[in-house]
Amino acid sequence: MSKRDQILETALGLFVEQGIAATATAQIAKQAGVATGTLFHHFPSKADLVAALYLGVKAQLADAMAAEAAEGTLADQARQYWERGLDWALSHPGALQFLQLVGLQGHEDTQLRHQAISELLPFVPALLARGQAEGVLRPVPADLALEQCHSQFMSAAAFFIAQPEHARDSQYRESAFALFWHSLAY
Amino acid sequence: MSKRDQILETALGLFVEQGIAATATAQIAKQAGVATGTLFHHFPSKADLVAALYLGVKAQLADAMAAEAAEGTLADQARQYWERGLDWALSHPGALQFLQLVGLQGHEDTQLRHQAISELLPFVPALLARGQAEGVLRPVPADLALEQCHSQFMSAAAFFIAQPEHARDSQYRESAFALFWHSLAY
Amino acid sequence: MSKRDQILETALGLFVEQGIAATATAQIAKQAGVATGTLFHHFPSKADLVAALYLGVKAQLADAMAAEAAEGTLADQARQYWERGLDWALSHPGALQFLQLVGLQGHEDTQLRHQAISELLPFVPALLARGQAEGVLRPVPADLALEQCHSQFMSAAAFFIAQPEHARDSQYRESAFALFWHSLAY
Amino acid sequence: MSKRDQILETALGLFVEQGIAATATAQIAKQAGVATGTLFHHFPSKADLVAALYLGVKAQLADAMAAEAAEGTLADQARQYWERGLDWALSHPGALQFLQLVGLQGHEDTQLRHQAISELLPFVPALLARGQAEGVLRPVPADLALEQCHSQFMSAAAFFIAQPEHARDSQYRESAFALFWHSLAY
DNA sequence: AATGAATGAGACTTCATTCAT
DNA sequence: AATGAATGAAGTCTCATTCAT
């Protein structure tokens, strides 16, 4: 693994454990086994490191969800994407928690978030539009619906990460999707 | 307004603008028009200041929601609490954002949160239990349902605070509640 | 002496000894017997410390020269100001060297310098103008003449500071003034 | 142009713009279009780079002044050297400013300077000695006279570089030489 | 000759907190 | 209760220099 990647991985872990502000660049470098200067050679500032991490993680999540096209009815497809996302979150708990950390500290704007979703996960707004057109989904304003997808997913993922003993309990998994699905569907 | 309250109010604003870690006690004191020492006279440490603010804000929100008992059907009651909470959030946007800030930085545990909700807003779990018993609400695990109430409310409040132009648009307001209600109810 | 003044005095000495860039703020603080933070309490940045020192020194020099009005012929008056300035420089060698240090590093513009001179030492341009009007001084462009006064004085002062054994030698002192005076006078 | 020369040229420009201490070797290398290592391949240390630049510039100035022997009276000869030096300075403004920069930062001693002048520009002390012997120049101590030549020239050059609009104005050019010449001559 | 990632000491600055007044 | 100068540990970032390629 390149030093750059060592730094990214170490930083992710420490940020989630201690918070971003509370994690010193020197600590990251030390634990990653590189010199302080090396960190700043690859990332001009701590903010750049955070940004690089953020973009990387988001892209990974998107990849995991969009690996292959979903099939079946609208509900089926939604379910497939949902479960893939949740599975990825459960196998990369730090990455997801980091996404939430940045979400707040970074003044991540609602509109910016929607833009990011539309770019990385274009099937989400597409599914929403199709569902409303077909009368399967309630006619909720598009931006509100998109926000709902995001917040429901994040909330469910956080819940299962915090309580891993329920992550494989089918009742919880079913319920989590049901909460999401019925909020939008008739 | 007492110096103590000036400090609290100023701190809330700066915390929301800049983040908690990024706001220096000296800056709070200066903008509040008091000496550095005065801040530490009232709050032994920065953490104490944050805690005092947090407890105060949470209590205010609880007061606003529980001001008077809700009436009517279960759906009616839920709607009344929901709207009261949303109205309070919209008239105290900083306070709500601060709640979210602390939520993250403070490693606020899921279980702690549920405990806090149950103490301050005991009617929430009560309504959930009654709804499920009466067959109005889907039989979702209680902790998941409670988490859902919290996250849906926070998400809706954040949405309207970020886009105040929709806060008085009845379609948006209706939709926001619908998303919440149908996620739980049959 | 106040801590602020201790810092200023120590900084002056170290800057002249080692250069401005080569002197660490921590070293200044330590040698001044104060904490690092104290330096930054009084001077928000190293640049501010340098600026404060610069202004203070310039004002002192001006005070020393303009302590009392000069008397006699134009040549007499010039001589009096010249000697007063030189005496001050010789008793405050560090201060003068610091002035030169800043002059270069600080991109001190010719025009800014003339402005500063005109404000702090208004008698200099006044004497130049009177001398040219009376036909005692050669008709040299005013800005060039002012620059000449400045550079001749600085050069002479630096010479005597570097070779203090000549500072009380009347031949050297006479010659230094002669070089200055005859460059401008008929 | 060889990489070595690219480095020298770029370094000169940056040193003058930003100061020597404030210019990073990495910046020089980048702007010169070479790798960091390449700079240190040609110049073992930053100090060596500065020294190489300094010696080169000084030699160029000496060459320009001593290109051909001056002719005519002592005043004529002085004038020829003076104008040649000024012309060179005006066509190499950065080089001259760099000379001044080093002068200060490097604790360039008065005596060292005199030695350097005597080696590179041997005609200067020679002319001074001849002039005093012939009674054309005032009997000023030799070291003071040499210092005067240096400082007057530097000051005039800096003045014209800062205000290039006067550099071709014959009144200014005449005056500048007059200030120099009459300071030394009867 | 040329490259550029890597190094780590050290620079400037911040900031929660204390304490004499 | 109120003040604000003082503290010093700790943080982010810089930079001359090295070295394997």
Side-chain angles (χ1 to χ4, degrees), chain A residues 140-165:
Chain A
V140 168
D143 49 358
L144 196 53
L146 207 53
E147 185 65 21
Q148 175 74 356
C149 293
H150 180 267
S151 82
Q152 280 279 59
F153 175 73
M154 284 301 199
S155 160
F159 182 87
F160 284 126
I161 287 172
Q163 319 206 22
E165 67 272 20

PDB file of all heavy atoms in Angstrom, chain A residues 140-165:
ATOM      1  N   VAL A 140     -44.573  13.540  -3.523  1.00  0.00           N
ATOM      2  CA  VAL A 140     -43.848  14.430  -2.600  1.00  0.00           C
ATOM      3  C   VAL A 140     -42.872  15.276  -3.421  1.00  0.00           C
ATOM      4  O   VAL A 140     -42.328  14.787  -4.414  1.00  0.00           O
ATOM      5  CB  VAL A 140     -43.080  13.559  -1.584  1.00  0.00           C
ATOM      6  CG1 VAL A 140     -42.086  14.374  -0.802  1.00  0.00           C
ATOM      7  CG2 VAL A 140     -44.055  12.824  -0.689  1.00  0.00           C
ATOM      8  N   PRO A 141     -42.635  16.547  -3.046  1.00  0.00           N
ATOM      9  CA  PRO A 141     -41.657  17.356  -3.791  1.00  0.00           C
ATOM     10  C   PRO A 141     -40.346  16.594  -3.937  1.00  0.00           C
ATOM     11  O   PRO A 141     -39.880  15.945  -2.996  1.00  0.00           O
ATOM     12  CB  PRO A 141     -41.481  18.595  -2.929  1.00  0.00           C
ATOM     13  CG  PRO A 141     -42.773  18.734  -2.202  1.00  0.00           C
ATOM     14  CD  PRO A 141     -43.265  17.322  -1.971  1.00  0.00           C
ATOM     15  N   ALA A 142     -39.725  16.717  -5.116  1.00  0.00           N
ATOM     16  CA  ALA A 142     -38.549  15.915  -5.433  1.00  0.00           C
ATOM     17  C   ALA A 142     -37.392  16.130  -4.456  1.00  0.00           C
ATOM     18  O   ALA A 142     -36.736  15.167  -4.037  1.00  0.00           O
ATOM     19  CB  ALA A 142     -38.090  16.221  -6.856  1.00  0.00           C
ATOM     20  N   ASP A 143     -37.141  17.381  -4.079  1.00  0.00           N
ATOM     21  CA  ASP A 143     -35.995  17.623  -3.200  1.00  0.00           C
ATOM     22  C   ASP A 143     -36.230  17.028  -1.816  1.00  0.00           C
ATOM     23  O   ASP A 143     -35.317  16.500  -1.187  1.00  0.00           O
ATOM     24  CB  ASP A 143     -35.652  19.121  -3.125  1.00  0.00           C
ATOM     25  CG  ASP A 143     -36.873  19.985  -2.840  1.00  0.00           C
ATOM     26  OD1 ASP A 143     -37.983  19.439  -2.744  1.00  0.00           O
ATOM     27  OD2 ASP A 143     -36.699  21.206  -2.711  1.00  0.00           O
ATOM     28  N   LEU A 144     -37.484  17.101  -1.366  1.00  0.00           N
ATOM     29  CA  LEU A 144     -37.797  16.533  -0.066  1.00  0.00           C
ATOM     30  C   LEU A 144     -37.640  15.011  -0.110  1.00  0.00           C
ATOM     31  O   LEU A 144     -37.121  14.389   0.828  1.00  0.00           O
ATOM     32  CB  LEU A 144     -39.233  16.912   0.314  1.00  0.00           C
ATOM     33  CG  LEU A 144     -39.654  16.763   1.765  1.00  0.00           C
ATOM     34  CD1 LEU A 144     -38.686  17.496   2.683  1.00  0.00           C
ATOM     35  CD2 LEU A 144     -41.069  17.325   1.958  1.00  0.00           C
ATOM     36  N   ALA A 145     -38.058  14.416  -1.208  1.00  0.00           N
ATOM     37  CA  ALA A 145     -37.950  12.959  -1.346  1.00  0.00           C
ATOM     38  C   ALA A 145     -36.491  12.524  -1.357  1.00  0.00           C
ATOM     39  O   ALA A 145     -36.113  11.524  -0.730  1.00  0.00           O
ATOM     40  CB  ALA A 145     -38.648  12.508  -2.634  1.00  0.00           C
ATOM     41  N   LEU A 146     -35.686  13.278  -2.048  1.00  0.00           N
ATOM     42  CA  LEU A 146     -34.265  12.952  -2.127  1.00  0.00           C
ATOM     43  C   LEU A 146     -33.626  13.050  -0.740  1.00  0.00           C
ATOM     44  O   LEU A 146     -32.865  12.171  -0.320  1.00  0.00           O
ATOM     45  CB  LEU A 146     -33.580  13.923  -3.091  1.00  0.00           C
ATOM     46  CG  LEU A 146     -32.332  13.423  -3.803  1.00  0.00           C
ATOM     47  CD1 LEU A 146     -32.625  12.104  -4.497  1.00  0.00           C
ATOM     48  CD2 LEU A 146     -31.860  14.459  -4.815  1.00  0.00           C
ATOM     49  N   GLU A 147     -33.978  14.105  -0.037  1.00  0.00           N
ATOM     50  CA  GLU A 147     -33.471  14.296   1.317  1.00  0.00           C
ATOM     51  C   GLU A 147     -33.889  13.121   2.196  1.00  0.00           C
ATOM     52  O   GLU A 147     -33.119  12.630   3.020  1.00  0.00           O
ATOM     53  CB  GLU A 147     -34.019  15.620   1.878  1.00  0.00           C
ATOM     54  CG  GLU A 147     -33.485  16.000   3.232  1.00  0.00           C
ATOM     55  CD  GLU A 147     -31.997  16.281   3.212  1.00  0.00           C
ATOM     56  OE1 GLU A 147     -31.464  16.574   2.117  1.00  0.00           O
ATOM     57  OE2 GLU A 147     -31.367  16.178   4.276  1.00  0.00           O
ATOM     58  N   GLN A 148     -35.103  12.657   1.993  1.00  0.00           N
ATOM     59  CA  GLN A 148     -35.620  11.541   2.759  1.00  0.00           C
ATOM     60  C   GLN A 148     -34.796  10.270   2.513  1.00  0.00           C
ATOM     61  O   GLN A 148     -34.424   9.560   3.455  1.00  0.00           O
ATOM     62  CB  GLN A 148     -37.091  11.298   2.365  1.00  0.00           C
ATOM     63  CG  GLN A 148     -37.727  10.084   2.996  1.00  0.00           C
ATOM     64  CD  GLN A 148     -38.039  10.306   4.472  1.00  0.00           C
ATOM     65  OE1 GLN A 148     -37.704  11.356   5.033  1.00  0.00           O
ATOM     66  NE2 GLN A 148     -38.653   9.324   5.105  1.00  0.00           N
ATOM     67  N   CYS A 149     -34.507  10.011   1.255  1.00  0.00           N
ATOM     68  CA  CYS A 149     -33.695   8.827   0.945  1.00  0.00           C
ATOM     69  C   CYS A 149     -32.367   8.899   1.688  1.00  0.00           C
ATOM     70  O   CYS A 149     -31.909   7.922   2.283  1.00  0.00           O
ATOM     71  CB  CYS A 149     -33.438   8.747  -0.563  1.00  0.00           C
ATOM     72  SG  CYS A 149     -34.917   8.417  -1.526  1.00  0.00           S
ATOM     73  N   HIS A 150     -31.760  10.057   1.605  1.00  0.00           N
ATOM     74  CA  HIS A 150     -30.456  10.216   2.233  1.00  0.00           C
ATOM     75  C   HIS A 150     -30.533  10.038   3.736  1.00  0.00           C
ATOM     76  O   HIS A 150     -29.780   9.271   4.339  1.00  0.00           O
ATOM     77  CB  HIS A 150     -29.893  11.598   1.882  1.00  0.00           C
ATOM     78  CG  HIS A 150     -28.546  11.864   2.476  1.00  0.00           C
ATOM     79  ND1 HIS A 150     -28.386  12.503   3.682  1.00  0.00           N
ATOM     80  CD2 HIS A 150     -27.306  11.540   2.048  1.00  0.00           C
ATOM     81  CE1 HIS A 150     -27.099  12.583   3.961  1.00  0.00           C
ATOM     82  NE2 HIS A 150     -26.410  12.011   2.990  1.00  0.00           N
ATOM     83  N   SER A 151     -31.434  10.742   4.356  1.00  0.00           N
ATOM     84  CA  SER A 151     -31.455  10.731   5.822  1.00  0.00           C
ATOM     85  C   SER A 151     -31.915   9.378   6.358  1.00  0.00           C
ATOM     86  O   SER A 151     -31.401   8.888   7.360  1.00  0.00           O
ATOM     87  CB  SER A 151     -32.326  11.860   6.359  1.00  0.00           C
ATOM     88  OG  SER A 151     -33.681  11.493   6.332  1.00  0.00           O
ATOM     89  N   GLN A 152     -32.858   8.739   5.666  1.00  0.00           N
ATOM     90  CA  GLN A 152     -33.307   7.426   6.125  1.00  0.00           C
ATOM     91  C   GLN A 152     -32.173   6.409   6.047  1.00  0.00           C
ATOM     92  O   GLN A 152     -31.971   5.596   6.948  1.00  0.00           O
ATOM     93  CB  GLN A 152     -34.484   6.932   5.264  1.00  0.00           C
ATOM     94  CG  GLN A 152     -35.811   7.537   5.631  1.00  0.00           C
ATOM     95  CD  GLN A 152     -36.439   6.840   6.831  1.00  0.00           C
ATOM     96  OE1 GLN A 152     -35.843   6.795   7.917  1.00  0.00           O
ATOM     97  NE2 GLN A 152     -37.634   6.316   6.669  1.00  0.00           N
ATOM     98  N   PHE A 153     -31.457   6.473   4.950  1.00  0.00           N
ATOM     99  CA  PHE A 153     -30.361   5.523   4.790  1.00  0.00           C
ATOM    100  C   PHE A 153     -29.276   5.754   5.843  1.00  0.00           C
ATOM    101  O   PHE A 153     -28.810   4.805   6.488  1.00  0.00           O
ATOM    102  CB  PHE A 153     -29.755   5.634   3.388  1.00  0.00           C
ATOM    103  CG  PHE A 153     -28.552   4.764   3.209  1.00  0.00           C
ATOM    104  CD1 PHE A 153     -28.683   3.381   3.085  1.00  0.00           C
ATOM    105  CD2 PHE A 153     -27.273   5.315   3.212  1.00  0.00           C
ATOM    106  CE1 PHE A 153     -27.574   2.565   2.960  1.00  0.00           C
ATOM    107  CE2 PHE A 153     -26.157   4.505   3.085  1.00  0.00           C
ATOM    108  CZ  PHE A 153     -26.305   3.119   2.962  1.00  0.00           C
ATOM    109  N   MET A 154     -28.914   7.001   6.018  1.00  0.00           N
ATOM    110  CA  MET A 154     -27.869   7.311   6.997  1.00  0.00           C
ATOM    111  C   MET A 154     -28.298   6.888   8.394  1.00  0.00           C
ATOM    112  O   MET A 154     -27.508   6.344   9.171  1.00  0.00           O
ATOM    113  CB  MET A 154     -27.574   8.822   6.990  1.00  0.00           C
ATOM    114  CG  MET A 154     -26.742   9.257   5.801  1.00  0.00           C
ATOM    115  SD  MET A 154     -25.143   8.385   5.770  1.00  0.00           S
ATOM    116  CE  MET A 154     -24.208   9.442   4.689  1.00  0.00           C
ATOM    117  N   SER A 155     -29.523   7.192   8.703  1.00  0.00           N
ATOM    118  CA  SER A 155     -30.039   6.883  10.025  1.00  0.00           C
ATOM    119  C   SER A 155     -30.059   5.367  10.256  1.00  0.00           C
ATOM    120  O   SER A 155     -29.641   4.865  11.313  1.00  0.00           O
ATOM    121  CB  SER A 155     -31.436   7.487  10.141  1.00  0.00           C
ATOM    122  OG  SER A 155     -32.167   6.876  11.155  1.00  0.00           O
ATOM    123  N   ALA A 156     -30.531   4.624   9.280  1.00  0.00           N
ATOM    124  CA  ALA A 156     -30.571   3.163   9.416  1.00  0.00           C
ATOM    125  C   ALA A 156     -29.165   2.596   9.537  1.00  0.00           C
ATOM    126  O   ALA A 156     -28.890   1.739  10.393  1.00  0.00           O
ATOM    127  CB  ALA A 156     -31.292   2.545   8.217  1.00  0.00           C
ATOM    128  N   ALA A 157     -28.264   3.091   8.699  1.00  0.00           N
ATOM    129  CA  ALA A 157     -26.894   2.590   8.736  1.00  0.00           C
ATOM    130  C   ALA A 157     -26.270   2.858  10.099  1.00  0.00           C
ATOM    131  O   ALA A 157     -25.631   1.986  10.698  1.00  0.00           O
ATOM    132  CB  ALA A 157     -26.072   3.242   7.627  1.00  0.00           C
ATOM    133  N   ALA A 158     -26.452   4.073  10.593  1.00  0.00           N
ATOM    134  CA  ALA A 158     -25.889   4.421  11.892  1.00  0.00           C
ATOM    135  C   ALA A 158     -26.461   3.521  12.984  1.00  0.00           C
ATOM    136  O   ALA A 158     -25.750   3.075  13.894  1.00  0.00           O
ATOM    137  CB  ALA A 158     -26.157   5.893  12.204  1.00  0.00           C
ATOM    138  N   PHE A 159     -27.734   3.243  12.884  1.00  0.00           N
ATOM    139  CA  PHE A 159     -28.389   2.402  13.885  1.00  0.00           C
ATOM    140  C   PHE A 159     -27.770   1.005  13.916  1.00  0.00           C
ATOM    141  O   PHE A 159     -27.424   0.487  14.975  1.00  0.00           O
ATOM    142  CB  PHE A 159     -29.885   2.307  13.572  1.00  0.00           C
ATOM    143  CG  PHE A 159     -30.651   1.490  14.570  1.00  0.00           C
ATOM    144  CD1 PHE A 159     -31.157   2.080  15.723  1.00  0.00           C
ATOM    145  CD2 PHE A 159     -30.856   0.117  14.377  1.00  0.00           C
ATOM    146  CE1 PHE A 159     -31.853   1.325  16.662  1.00  0.00           C
ATOM    147  CE2 PHE A 159     -31.552  -0.632  15.308  1.00  0.00           C
ATOM    148  CZ  PHE A 159     -32.047  -0.028  16.451  1.00  0.00           C
ATOM    149  N   PHE A 160     -27.599   0.434  12.747  1.00  0.00           N
ATOM    150  CA  PHE A 160     -27.063  -0.931  12.701  1.00  0.00           C
ATOM    151  C   PHE A 160     -25.588  -0.971  13.067  1.00  0.00           C
ATOM    152  O   PHE A 160     -25.104  -1.950  13.624  1.00  0.00           O
ATOM    153  CB  PHE A 160     -27.298  -1.540  11.314  1.00  0.00           C
ATOM    154  CG  PHE A 160     -28.711  -1.962  11.094  1.00  0.00           C
ATOM    155  CD1 PHE A 160     -29.438  -1.522   9.995  1.00  0.00           C
ATOM    156  CD2 PHE A 160     -29.346  -2.815  12.004  1.00  0.00           C
ATOM    157  CE1 PHE A 160     -30.756  -1.922   9.804  1.00  0.00           C
ATOM    158  CE2 PHE A 160     -30.660  -3.225  11.818  1.00  0.00           C
ATOM    159  CZ  PHE A 160     -31.370  -2.766  10.717  1.00  0.00           C
ATOM    160  N   ILE A 161     -24.866   0.099  12.730  1.00  0.00           N
ATOM    161  CA  ILE A 161     -23.449   0.123  13.096  1.00  0.00           C
ATOM    162  C   ILE A 161     -23.309   0.209  14.615  1.00  0.00           C
ATOM    163  O   ILE A 161     -22.447  -0.439  15.218  1.00  0.00           O
ATOM    164  CB  ILE A 161     -22.732   1.312  12.406  1.00  0.00           C
ATOM    165  CG1 ILE A 161     -22.567   1.005  10.918  1.00  0.00           C
ATOM    166  CG2 ILE A 161     -21.375   1.575  13.049  1.00  0.00           C
ATOM    167  CD1 ILE A 161     -22.046   2.168  10.101  1.00  0.00           C
ATOM    168  N   ALA A 162     -24.186   1.006  15.213  1.00  0.00           N
ATOM    169  CA  ALA A 162     -24.116   1.160  16.667  1.00  0.00           C
ATOM    170  C   ALA A 162     -24.575  -0.115  17.368  1.00  0.00           C
ATOM    171  O   ALA A 162     -24.133  -0.419  18.471  1.00  0.00           O
ATOM    172  CB  ALA A 162     -24.969   2.349  17.109  1.00  0.00           C
ATOM    173  N   GLN A 163     -25.468  -0.856  16.735  1.00  0.00           N
ATOM    174  CA  GLN A 163     -25.996  -2.065  17.363  1.00  0.00           C
ATOM    175  C   GLN A 163     -25.860  -3.231  16.404  1.00  0.00           C
ATOM    176  O   GLN A 163     -26.875  -3.729  15.883  1.00  0.00           O
ATOM    177  CB  GLN A 163     -27.467  -1.848  17.746  1.00  0.00           C
ATOM    178  CG  GLN A 163     -27.692  -0.476  18.325  1.00  0.00           C
ATOM    179  CD  GLN A 163     -28.884  -0.404  19.263  1.00  0.00           C
ATOM    180  OE1 GLN A 163     -29.339  -1.393  19.832  1.00  0.00           O
ATOM    181  NE2 GLN A 163     -29.388   0.792  19.432  1.00  0.00           N
ATOM    182  N   PRO A 164     -24.632  -3.674  16.227  1.00  0.00           N
ATOM    183  CA  PRO A 164     -24.362  -4.697  15.201  1.00  0.00           C
ATOM    184  C   PRO A 164     -25.118  -5.984  15.458  1.00  0.00           C
ATOM    185  O   PRO A 164     -25.337  -6.782  14.547  1.00  0.00           O
ATOM    186  CB  PRO A 164     -22.852  -4.922  15.299  1.00  0.00           C
ATOM    187  CG  PRO A 164     -22.323  -3.902  16.257  1.00  0.00           C
ATOM    188  CD  PRO A 164     -23.458  -3.381  17.052  1.00  0.00           C
ATOM    189  N   GLU A 165     -25.528  -6.199  16.707  1.00  0.00           N
ATOM    190  CA  GLU A 165     -26.229  -7.454  17.000  1.00  0.00           C
ATOM    191  C   GLU A 165     -27.574  -7.523  16.277  1.00  0.00           C
ATOM    192  O   GLU A 165     -28.138  -8.597  16.102  1.00  0.00           O
ATOM    193  CB  GLU A 165     -26.422  -7.603  18.523  1.00  0.00           C
ATOM    194  CG  GLU A 165     -27.356  -6.588  19.160  1.00  0.00           C
ATOM    195  CD  GLU A 165     -26.642  -5.309  19.575  1.00  0.00           C
ATOM    196  OE1 GLU A 165     -25.542  -5.049  19.046  1.00  0.00           O
ATOM    197  OE2 GLU A 165     -27.188  -4.552  20.419  1.00  0.00           O
TER     198      GLU A 165
END
